[in-house]
Amino acid sequence: MTPLLDFRSDTRTAPDRAMRAAMAGAEVGDDAYGDDPRVLELEAAGARLLGKEAALFLPSSTMANLVAVLAAAPAPGTRLLTGAETHLARMEGEGVRRFARVELVELAQRDDGAPEPAALAGALRAGAGRPGVLSLENTCMLHHGNALAPADLAPLVELGRAHGCPVHLDGARLANAAVALGLPVAELAAPADSVTFCLAKGLGAPVGSLLCADADFVARARELRLQLGGTMHQSGVLAAAALEGLERLDRLAEDHAVAAALAEGLASVPGARVPRPPRRTNIVTVKLAGVDAGDLHERLADRGVLVLPLPDGNVRFVVHREHRPQAVPLVVRALAEAAIQ
């Protein structure tokens, strides 16, 4: 059956007519030589948006996080401290262990997704005298997409700084957090030394992420990108689409509204449990009594709704600009039918 609605990820968006026009008309150079005008424009715009000195355009947030760790970690064996349920720990951990040669220290997290301050303090004491890097995440993917406010992260940043740890922020969906909180992106990025910012999720670009930091850090990151094979050449065609996406940041509020309506509708289905994060963004998770995540995923797929099964027993819906309010009753009906199958 051809999928009716694909909620697996906000990376599933296709470039629309305006993005394709921007790509087709993009003036290009060669980013390997630093002279692609659209890439330079994108990096400058990203640095301004996040309040950092400089930015680097990379193919993915996974590579951006790896490059950030490599640029921040002074030596093999550096301890990388991050939440046990972050994307970096769950989906990227093997890569950073292998390529950055760090020791990954996984921290217990609170219900809102922020690492437990006591867990971080204990880990820092246990590693006293060894170099470390602290990585935080906003929004918190496996905590139902919750957006963290500056006050949620401030004590953690302070602890890291007190032990000499540079702070990296995996802000793949930081734009969603900013819109949910009604704050500038730069305010959320300010406490971190380096920030990953995805262009290919809610903002809808076909590919790419920015790594933003001070100029020296970005210069190191640029060399590392080259060594990892992440340098692209006439990538202005991609940067042009990303620039178009940056103009649409405020429209993420529409995705959040659809996600809120979806959460309310799914919660009305008998046997469905829909967590309510403190600050919902574009992610909704649901667990159906007596049905494991893999089975629920298949039942929904049979009804034309694609979701992602999670290891905690929930399935994940990620709302993006191709989902409109009219989709909500269709998804709710699919879940209701799946519940009585």
Side-chain angles (χ1 to χ4, degrees), residues 100-117:
R101 294 181 290 173
V102 296
E103 177 191 345
L104 187 60
V105 180
E106 299 184 6
L107 307 170
Q109 289 170 256
R110 304 183 315 209
D111 289 343
D112 66 0
E116 291 278 4

Side-chain angles (χ1 to χ4, degrees), residues 28-47:
V28 298
D30 187 339
D31 192 38
Y33 291 89
D35 61 11
D36 187 297
R38 293 288 77 77
V39 172
L40 293 171
E41 184 181 354
L42 173 64
E43 290 175 343

